[in-house]
Amino acid sequence: SYELTQPPSVSVSPGQTASITCSGDKLGDKYVCWYQQKPGQSPVLVIHQDSQRPSGIPARFSGSNSGNTATLTISGTQAMDEADYYCQAWDSGTVVFGGGTKLTVL
Amino acid sequence: QVQLQESGPGLVKSSQTLSLTCAVSGVSISSGGYSWSWIRQPPGKGLEWIGHMYYSGSTYYKPSLRGRVTTSIDTSKNQFSLKLSSVTAADTAVYYCARGTTHYFDFWGQGTPVTVSS
């Protein structure tokens, strides 16, 4: 079955750029989206179709996808961005989530 | 505004069937164009897709859960449902319903916790 791999944790200082990766076989051939989940809350879509931001998502969130790796980039990271982030893709009619990355802003 | 709300028992005994319902408002399930999905999250763990269905009746389930999962739509109540049979402690999780497009889930319910007890 298809798998998406994320680093368990990423740390970033306030105001700096955070990059969270998601790896999978020929992932660049698929559309990837990203969700942000804060404790006790439902996931929120922050990037879809590799690099598209939904309405209401700050411009500091951006995404890319090429080869075997998709990347979520948060520029000028703020304390409010501290959360778990999950990548997601489709494979053969099924949905696959990455294991999630805990972003710590310190 | 599209809203989804899960409901169902918070406690299910081992080997029995877990049944949840997701009430949808702000959009008609029968309007088509979207998938209606179930996703769960075990305590302290990541998201796990369970399956989804379309108004047309097509269904797709996670292979490892196929055989235990059944989903259905009730257009008269604008809601959809999940049944997961022969549950074990491993099925303890927060269960979310969500609306899906071709590539992503754009609206999620608040989630409902389900504990499987022995």
Side-chain angles (χ1 to χ4, degrees):
Chain A
S1 61
Y2 195 78
E3 294 184 356
L4 294 174
T5 301
Q6 298 181 236
S9 63
V10 169
S11 297
V12 63
S13 299
Q16 298 304 302
T17 297
S19 296
I20 299 174
T21 58
C22 174
S23 300
D25 185 49
K26 298 180 181 178
L27 186 57
D29 292 343
K30 308 177 189 297
Y31 275 129
V32 173
C33 62
W34 293 88
Y35 302 92
Q36 175 194 70
Q37 186 181 34
K38 296 182 179 179
Q41 298 183 19
S42 303
V44 172
L45 181 71
V46 294
I47 291 289
H48 65 87
Q49 290 172 268
D50 296 339
S51 60
Q52 304 301 304
R53 274 184 296 107
S55 174
I57 300 301
R60 64 179 180 273
F61 288 86
S62 62
S64 63
N65 183 21
S66 179
N68 294 323
T69 304
T71 303
L72 172 69
T73 301
I74 309 173
S75 304
T77 308
Q78 299 182 10
M80 68 173 64
D81 299 329
E82 185 164 287
D84 294 328
Y85 290 85
Y86 295 89
C87 60
Q88 178 242 303
W90 286 70
D91 178 71
S92 302
T94 65
V95 174
V96 182
F97 286 100
T101 298
K102 181 175 181 60
L103 177 67
T104 301
V105 183
L106 40 67
Chain B
Q1 176 72 329
V2 176
Q3 293 185 319
L4 296 88
Q5 177 68 59
E6 307 89 347
S7 62
L11 188 62
V12 181
K13 289 186 177 180
S14 183
S15 80
Q16 295 191 342
T17 296
L18 178 161
S19 296
L20 297 174
T21 296
C22 180
V24 179
S25 59
V27 65
S28 173
I29 289 179
S30 60
S31 63
Y34 299 101
S35 65
W36 302 97
S37 308
W38 290 97
I39 297 156
R40 69 182 181 181
Q41 185 170 34
K45 297 187 177 181
L47 300 170
E48 178 186 22
W49 173 73
I50 298 171
H52 62 255
M53 76 202 91
Y54 295 87
Y55 172 64
S56 64
S58 301
T59 56
Y60 298 84
Y61 302 136
K62 182 172 183 175
S64 62
L65 297 175
R66 205 170 288 150
R68 292 205 294 137
V69 177
T70 303
T71 54
S72 60
I73 288 177
D74 184 340
T75 55
S76 67
K77 296 181 179 179
N78 209 40
Q79 64 185 33
F80 60 104
S81 300
L82 168 72
K83 291 187 185 297
L84 181 65
S85 64
S86 305
V87 297
T88 69
D91 295 309
T92 292
V94 174
Y95 284 75
Y96 295 98
C97 58
R99 187 182 81 164
T101 70
T102 305
H103 303 295
Y104 54 88
F105 301 107
D106 55 357
F107 291 98
W108 296 62
Q110 66 183 28
T112 187
V114 177
T115 300
V116 177
S117 66
S118 56

